[in-house]
Amino acid sequence: MKIDCKRLTVVTVLIGLFVSFPLLAVESEANNALIERGKYIAIAADCAACHRQAVENGVPFAGGYAIASPMGNIIASNITPSRQFGIGNYTEIQFADAVRRGVAQDGRNLYPAMPYTAYYGISDQDIHALYAYFMQGVKPADIAPTAVTDLGFPFNIRQVMLGWNLLYRKEKQLEKQAGISEQLYRGQYLVEVLGHCSTCHTPRNMMMAEKSSLYLSGSPLGGWYAPNITSDSSGIAGWSQRDLVTYLQTGHLANKAQAAGPMAEAVEKSFRFMTDEDLNAMAAWIKQVPAVSTPVATKSPRSLATDINNVIIGQGNQASLVDISQTDGATLYESACASCHGRQGQGTADNFYPSLTHNSAVSGPGPQNLVMTIVMGIQRKGSDGEVSMPAFGQQMNNEQIASLSNYVRNQFANIDDRLTAENVQMLRNGGELPFIVLYLNWLMGGGAVIVLLILFGLMRLRKR
Ligand code: HEC
Ligand code: HEC
Ligand code: HEC
């Protein structure tokens, strides 16, 4: 029998195509699924919150946004696959090192404004999916950095992070504790690792590292305060698992709390897109975190002289706001707030304009979130729609805001704050400075050396 070589080749190629076509299709389908999974992980980890441009609605992941830290501004990198300005030349291993260990491709130590202290635990599988998403699912943005990170000495020396990392960077992957359910393990992974809740909600020590014994028990955050979210009565003991899910998904919980500031951003960019199953796992984990008791505001009888019922200005009369000598809290409340939140702070029946008498920002341990909400207003998308409250930071001066805040806390929560205009200015500037920065001036007097010595001393202790 004569074999026709040509025909055989044609047939083989045809058979080859026939077999590999569906295989190729399956492969690209699997790759698409991987990219989709990576996208979901990027949402749960909220990479977009920081890696954005400085302008609203800028190019996703193009970077340039300044993250205010007590040491100065730290600029988020371009993490699109641009080869010139982004991470287009990163291998998967280098990507993993940047995300989990805070070490960039060129060996630069990243500042922990990049939350590698939480991302340490991202699984290899999830890193693989994240990498696929950033390389193939994100458009390269050839946009040069619009600003550079410029911290004062000694923080501008990135090697200082070597010592810090030895002390505070976790090296082991997250492990499932014996006896916990799959749901709790998933919840722990989402809360501790991807969601990095503790980077905002856990107080920090002198060296700016999280105090693990006070996990999630509340921390100042710029001018804001990320409250105690453990199940203590000073935290969110009264919240059910369902309540937590509702709050994370929508940004509000009737007669309890509304998310403003950094939390509103986390809801809008991240939590509202997460599955019910994942949100429930997170809530279940939060509910069983050890309760930590923290100071609450002391209640005292109402002390302010003016009663709202004696205020004669019409509701929502903004004219009185123009008068900067008007510093009576009740009058300011009547002019600026009552039209939405009601004269008695009762809000509206449908909670669209929330009550201020049952409100964690008004009754919280300090006035930070109330003051910052008055200054910045609220713009937030949740899974159930959009809410907005006007910002009053331009219209009102610090004295007016202090007096309005004192009135609101006193009238609606029986708290006597006596906040001053200086206190308000300090919050506007980003709150009280932590130890390490406050004492920098003193350290500068020959003391920077001491900091380094302390760091190296601690490193040696740790090594032993
Ligand atoms: C809270 C803010 C924040 C979040 C959230 C965040 N990053 Fe970053 N990231 C930063 C900052 C700031 C830098 C630059 C730090 C520096 O210059 O030391 C950075 C740097 C990086 C780098 C190094 C790039 C380079 O070469 O400069 C990579 C890669 C990166 N981030 C990836 C990610 C990924 C992926 C996610 C989500 C899983 C993420 N980041 C989430 C703030 C953040
Ligand atoms: C970027 C910082 C940041 C991150 C990340 C963050 N939070 Fe928050 N959170 C805040 C701030 C600030 C508030 C106060 C918001 C307000 O009252 O306007 C808050 C408020 C809350 C509240 C309401 C508490 C109350 O008593 O009003 C809950 C619950 C909460 N966060 C849970 C979480 C969980 C769970 C995570 C992680 C999945 C998380 N947060 C991540 C900053 C953050
Ligand atoms: C135009 C209507 C409107 C006006 C005027 C207004 N608010 Fe609001 N306020 C809102 C809305 C809407 C929310 C968020 C509701 C939500 O999240 O569901 C809100 C939320 C709040 C919160 C909760 C914030 C947090 O962080 O938990 C406080 C406190 C508050 N307002 C106080 C005030 C004060 C004080 C004034 C006067 C300076 C004022 N509001 C004026 C509509 C308004």
Side-chain angles (χ1 to χ4, degrees):
M1 202 169 76
K2 213 175 123 202
I3 298 174
D4 179 340
C5 269
K6 249 193 213 155
R7 193 176 288 172
L8 190 63
T9 320
V10 169
V11 169
T12 319
V13 166
L14 277 179
I15 291 176
L17 277 178
F18 218 73
V19 174
S20 66
F21 232 55
L23 273 183
L24 280 178
V26 167
E27 212 165 85
S28 86
E29 211 169 274
N31 192 48
N32 287 345
L34 183 69
I35 295 171
E36 269 310 298
R37 221 165 58 75
K39 183 177 179 184
Y40 183 78
I41 296 160
I43 287 172
D46 210 0
C47 315
C50 300
H51 288 281
R52 56 175 141 166
Q53 288 192 286
V55 292
E56 278 297 312
N57 302 318
V59 182
F61 303 117
Y65 178 71
I67 292 157
S69 90
M71 281 79 79
N73 284 345
I74 301 174
I75 310 299
S77 324
N78 179 333
I79 56 166
T80 70
S82 157
R83 288 189 177 270
Q84 196 180 356
F85 301 110
I87 58 169
N89 296 319
Y90 270 67
T91 63
E92 186 170 327
I93 291 175
Q94 290 167 334
F95 177 77
D97 271 351
V99 174
R100 292 197 293 215
R101 311 187 66 243
V103 182
Q105 187 187 38
D106 54 8
R108 249 176 317 135
N109 282 288
L110 301 174
Y111 295 111
M114 162 71 193
Y116 60 88
T117 49
Y119 295 157
Y120 77 95
I122 300 185
S123 67
D124 291 346
Q125 247 188 1
D126 282 2
I127 284 283
H128 183 61
L130 260 180
Y131 183 73
Y133 169 62
F134 277 103
M135 292 301 145
Q136 302 171 51
V138 173
K139 273 211 206 105
D142 293 320
I143 297 172
T146 43
V148 283
T149 301
D150 184 20
L151 306 189
F153 182 81
F155 304 112
N156 58 344
I157 305 173
R158 285 183 181 264
Q159 281 83 339
V160 168
M161 295 314 304
L162 285 173
W164 196 90
N165 283 345
L166 264 172
L167 288 170
Y168 301 117
R169 185 175 64 191
K170 296 189 193 120
E171 301 288 346
K172 271 196 290 183
Q173 297 276 287
L174 188 70
E175 270 168 29
K176 185 166 182 277
Q177 298 160 33
I180 72 168
S181 67
E182 279 303 324
Q183 190 198 36
L184 276 184
Y185 180 48
R186 176 77 183 153
Q188 180 182 18
Y189 183 68
L190 289 166
V191 165
E192 203 170 298
V193 176
L194 293 182
H196 60 279
C197 316
S198 72
T199 59
C200 295
H201 283 276
T202 301
R204 291 176 186 266
N205 65 18
M206 224 167 82
M207 300 294 289
M208 306 274 303
E210 290 169 23
K211 293 182 188 164
S212 50
S213 59
L214 298 177
Y215 185 58
L216 299 182
S217 68
S219 173
L221 184 73
W224 298 85
Y225 190 82
N228 182 344
I229 54 168
T230 71
S231 292
D232 187 74
S233 58
S234 56
I236 54 169
W239 295 35
S240 67
Q241 180 171 320
R242 186 72 241 162
D243 286 347
L244 256 165
V245 171
T246 303
Y247 179 85
L248 292 174
Q249 216 158 36
T250 65
H252 46 200
L253 187 61
N255 291 320
K256 285 207 166 72
Q258 295 82 40
M263 189 65 189
E265 287 187 23
V267 168
E268 173 162 336
K269 292 209 163 68
S270 174
F271 309 142
R272 76 176 160 129
F273 297 116
M274 296 183 68
T275 63
D276 256 4
E277 198 186 350
D278 275 351
L279 290 170
N280 269 295
M282 289 158 84
W285 173 258
I286 299 270
K287 290 289 291 172
Q288 58 78 63
V289 159
V292 179
S293 167
T294 49
V296 292
T298 33
K299 301 267 175 183
S300 57
R302 294 186 182 163
S303 64
L304 297 167
T306 322
D307 182 21
I308 192 124
N309 293 316
N310 299 331
V311 174
I312 36 171
I313 296 171
Q315 269 201 10
N317 179 357
Q318 302 252 325
S320 69
L321 289 177
V322 180
D323 176 8
I324 53 157
S325 64
Q326 178 55 267
T327 55
D328 178 64
T331 307
L332 289 166
Y333 180 81
E334 176 73 15
S335 325
C337 322
S339 58
C340 290
H341 294 287
R343 286 194 120 198
Q344 312 300 331
Q346 73 277 21
T348 51
D350 61 0
N351 291 304
F352 187 78
Y353 295 120
S355 141
L356 298 182
T357 51
H358 297 93
N359 189 297
S360 64
V362 177
S363 62
Q368 294 98 315
N369 292 344
L370 172 61
V371 169
M372 290 306 285
T373 300
I374 298 172
V375 171
M376 318 255 313
I378 303 178
Q379 269 317 321
R380 192 194 68 233
K381 290 195 188 96
S383 65
D384 63 344
E386 196 164 354
V387 297
S388 92
M389 163 173 155
F392 293 91
Q394 300 290 323
Q395 284 176 62
M396 286 194 210
N397 61 34
N398 292 341
E399 202 180 345
Q400 290 176 312
I401 293 173
S403 144
L404 173 57
S405 168
N406 287 338
Y407 173 80
V408 168
R409 298 254 292 168
N410 195 250
Q411 193 70 16
F412 303 134
N414 290 338
I415 296 165
D416 196 6
D417 271 337
R418 300 172 197 249
L419 202 68
T420 64
E422 287 73 41
N423 299 145
V424 172
Q425 186 58 47
M426 189 192 71
L427 293 178
R428 284 196 197 226
N429 291 347
E432 252 172 276
L433 292 175
F435 175 89
I436 196 166
V437 178
L438 266 182
Y439 288 88
L440 199 63
N441 285 339
W442 167 78
L443 289 167
M444 286 295 106
V449 185
I450 300 178
V451 176
L452 293 176
L453 283 178
I454 294 174
L455 273 176
F456 287 120
L458 288 170
M459 275 161 69
R460 291 186 53 186
L461 271 181
R462 171 78 176 245
K463 272 191 182 149
R464 249 182 239 154

